[in-house]
Amino acid sequence: TVWRRFNRMHNHEPVDRYTKSGKRLQREEKIDLLFQHAQLINGLFHDELRNLLRSFGDGCSFEPGPIKTPQRALEKVVRRYNRQPSHLTDIIRCRVFFKDFQSILHFVEAIRSKALVPAYFPENVRVDNPSTCIFKFCGVKNRFSPGYRAIDSFGFRDLQMNLEVGFRNGRIVGCHEWSDSGVKQHICEVQVLLQVDRMDLSDRCSEYGELRNLAGR
């Protein structure tokens, strides 16, 4: 069946970890434990990204986001996710601003060098040594693409990446350790934008929130 083929393509992970649209879900299904995990690794995840961004120097700006508020999380679970907390993949989030699209491309390549990607990706986008990976790609939403329906995001443009990390005993561990006892995983969101959009971002986000609430999202 289609779902069995889908399962094989995604490294034999259970089909119920994906939506029909292909969105990867959290492994944890209880919202209180999702927030507990977020509290444990929020700073650790941001530190990993800061380390990755050092090579970009002044060509980028990093904004660690606060953990999503429980109120907004519950709104999304009820309005959009049919009361299934495992769909929440942006409890931990951050923003990275770059001066141009070429820099954004270089950042994606830097992430890719430290990330496992699903088996259905082309061979040339996979790393040679999985033991060096600390992230796993779970999804990319390119709102910069000319083919993206801007109306779906009320005109908001960005690149969103969902990255899964493993952690144990207060530290993030490499992907090769994920099968070890006591290691848990959590999917986080990285939002990538252009520097030119930073000045009025606060107002735009406020407008986006109002439109989102009107649309019942």
Side-chain angles (χ1 to χ4, degrees):
T1 67
V2 172
W3 281 110
R4 285 175 181 167
R5 290 198 298 273
F6 188 84
N7 189 21
R8 286 199 297 271
M9 290 192 301
H10 287 79
N11 298 325
H12 303 281
E13 292 179 342
V15 170
D16 60 7
R17 286 207 59 214
Y18 296 85
T19 65
K20 290 186 178 180
S21 64
K23 177 177 177 174
R24 177 81 164 278
L25 305 180
Q26 298 278 14
R27 299 172 192 257
E28 178 56 61
E29 297 181 351
K30 296 181 179 179
I31 194 167
D32 56 333
L33 291 181
L34 285 173
F35 271 91
Q36 185 181 107
H37 294 169
Q39 291 285 352
L40 288 172
I41 65 166
N42 185 52
L44 299 175
F45 177 71
H46 292 155
D47 286 344
E48 292 291 348
L49 286 177
R50 284 192 187 94
N51 291 336
L52 198 66
L53 289 166
R54 284 178 181 171
S55 62
F56 289 86
D58 296 333
C60 70
S61 300
F62 178 69
E63 287 187 0
I67 291 175
K68 183 179 287 294
T69 66
Q71 177 181 337
R72 176 57 189 149
L74 289 171
E75 286 175 355
K76 290 187 76 171
V77 168
V78 172
R79 294 175 180 177
R80 300 181 59 183
Y81 298 145
N82 197 28
R83 300 178 184 272
Q84 298 179 56
S86 59
H87 288 243
L88 289 169
T89 55
D90 62 347
I91 297 177
I92 293 178
R93 61 268 178 91
C94 61
R95 291 178 180 143
V96 189
F97 298 86
F98 292 95
K99 61 182 179 179
D100 52 39
F101 287 112
Q102 190 64 36
S103 299
I104 290 177
L105 178 60
H106 290 161
F107 174 62
V108 174
E109 290 173 344
I111 290 285
R112 191 182 68 187
S113 71
K114 293 290 186 180
L116 293 177
V117 295
Y120 61 87
F121 274 52
E123 200 66 44
N124 65 336
V125 301
R126 293 186 228 152
V127 295
D128 295 328
N129 186 7
S131 66
T132 65
C133 296
I134 56 174
F135 306 119
K136 184 169 185 177
F137 263 117
C138 295
V140 178
K141 183 184 292 184
N142 184 8
R143 290 172 169 170
F144 288 126
S145 170
Y148 181 79
R149 281 169 39 96
I151 192 174
D152 292 340
S153 58
F154 310 112
F156 200 84
R157 296 282 189 174
D158 63 4
L159 175 73
Q160 293 180 355
M161 291 185 288
N162 287 116
L163 303 175
E164 189 171 35
V165 294
F167 62 98
R168 178 179 56 188
N169 298 331
R171 68 181 183 92
I172 288 180
V173 301
C175 295
H176 63 289
E177 298 182 52
W178 286 14
S179 59
D180 294 353
S181 175
V183 176
K184 299 183 182 298
Q185 290 84 27
H186 190 93
I187 300 174
C188 312
E189 181 180 278
V190 180
Q191 187 180 23
V192 184
L193 304 99
L194 291 170
Q195 288 277 18
V196 69
D197 295 326
R198 191 177 186 181
M199 293 182 62
D200 61 345
L201 186 61
S202 179
D203 290 338
R204 292 175 62 201
C205 286
S206 178
E207 292 174 358
Y208 177 85
E210 291 177 6
L211 291 169
R212 179 196 65 207
N213 288 333
L214 287 172
R217 300 181 191 176

